[in-house]
Each structure stands twice: as structure tokens, then as C-alpha cells.
Amino acid sequence: MIAAPLPIFAQKGLLQIPQFLSRNVCMTLSQVCQEFLIQGITQDGKTFRPSDWSERLAGAMSSFRPDAMEGGKASFIGYSPYCVPRIVNGVKCVFVSERLRELEPMAWDFVMQFARENQLQVTPINLQGEVADKSA
């Protein structure tokens, strides 16, 4: 797991997590699922470039989705529910579900290595859409 300081908007309680992510990604209530918010802000506070990085990263992960290999509706071109680009409080971000690690560990490693190499801020998010306790 990547240890990163909480972003300013999370420290002030301004983090708004899309509700659909936790509902769609976690298949059962008994399943423990956590998401990570990769922010387009480096550890030293600079905006990450290129400006479309979040769409590119999520696009690279688009084939990792439920039933994508079977064809039909699930095989359309679009983002995986496990790696979704969003703008949170004006900052480009990518929500990454820990389910991606279960589905394809190499894809998970790729996404997390991208964040590490580019020194992007990564914040764990719990099922309630709140910044998770890092000590747990």
C-alpha cells in the first residue's frame, strides 16, 4: 500500500466519493472492498501532466471488467468499474478498486506503480466513501 499524506480537500472533509463505485464494485455485502483515490497532484503539490493522464490510465485498464471477455453488452468500449477517472473538487483523479488486484494482479501493480513512479498522492477510501484509517 502507498503511504501518502491526505490531500487538502480530504483533510477539510470535502472529499465526495461517487456512491455508485462501492455498490457496483463490491459484489456482496460480506465482501471487504476498498478503493484508492489516485490524485493528479504530486507529493510536492504540483499538478500532474499531461492533463488527460486519468483518462489514459483508466483507458489502459478498460478491459478489466466483469464479463468483458464474453462479448455482448459488457464488451463495449468504456471504462472498467475497477478503474474510473473522475474530477474531485477540480482535481483529476482515478478511483481504483482493490477488486482489480483480485481480478488481475499485474493490472493492479501497473496502476499502483504508475502512481509511485509519478509521485502521485494516493488516498485509501472505505466503503462509506470516506478516507480510510491508514493505521487499520
Side-chain angles (χ1 to χ4, degrees), residues 61-117:
M61 297 293 107
S62 65
S63 63
F64 300 103
R65 71 173 97 217
D67 304 322
M69 298 300 191
E70 296 177 11
K73 286 184 180 182
S75 64
F76 66 91
I77 295 175
Y79 296 120
S80 165
Y82 307 126
C83 189
V84 183
R86 290 284 178 258
I87 296 176
V88 177
N89 298 324
V91 177
K92 288 205 171 200
C93 302
V94 174
F95 286 92
V96 183
S97 171
E98 208 163 21
R99 294 263 305 145
L100 181 61
R101 183 186 334 214
E102 298 168 22
L103 180 68
E104 181 50 68
M106 288 176 60
W108 170 267
D109 290 343
F110 174 81
V111 171
M112 291 298 143
Q113 185 64 29
F114 176 87
R116 270 191 300 277
E117 287 177 358

Side-chain angles (χ1 to χ4, degrees), residues 3-136:
L6 292 178
I8 298 300
F9 56 81
Q11 291 172 3
K12 294 182 179 180
L14 301 174
L15 187 60
Q16 299 286 327
I17 306 301
Q19 291 291 323
F20 76 91
L21 270 175
S22 292
R23 284 196 306 267
N24 287 348
V25 173
C26 297
M27 303 304 177
T28 67
L29 292 175
S30 63
Q31 195 171 24
V32 177
C33 183
Q34 190 173 33
E35 295 161 355
F36 293 85
L37 175 65
I38 301 174
Q39 302 166 70
I41 300 175
T42 62
Q43 296 294 338
D44 58 1
K46 295 179 182 171
T47 300
F48 183 66
R49 300 282 181 229
S51 61
D52 65 344
W53 74 270
S54 59
E55 293 90 351
R56 289 182 187 194
L57 181 60
M61 297 293 107
S62 65
S63 63
F64 300 103
R65 71 173 97 217
D67 304 322
M69 298 300 191
E70 296 177 11
K73 286 184 180 182
S75 64
F76 66 91
I77 295 175
Y79 296 120
S80 165
Y82 307 126
C83 189
V84 183
R86 290 284 178 258
I87 296 176
V88 177
N89 298 324
V91 177
K92 288 205 171 200
C93 302
V94 174
F95 286 92
V96 183
S97 171
E98 208 163 21
R99 294 263 305 145
L100 181 61
R101 183 186 334 214
E102 298 168 22
L103 180 68
E104 181 50 68
M106 288 176 60
W108 170 267
D109 290 343
F110 174 81
V111 171
M112 291 298 143
Q113 185 64 29
F114 176 87
R116 270 191 300 277
E117 287 177 358
N118 291 291
Q119 299 179 346
L120 299 177
Q121 296 181 20
V122 178
T123 305
I125 306 297
N126 66 22
L127 287 175
Q128 288 74 40
E130 301 164 342
V131 173
D133 181 8
K134 293 181 183 181
S135 63

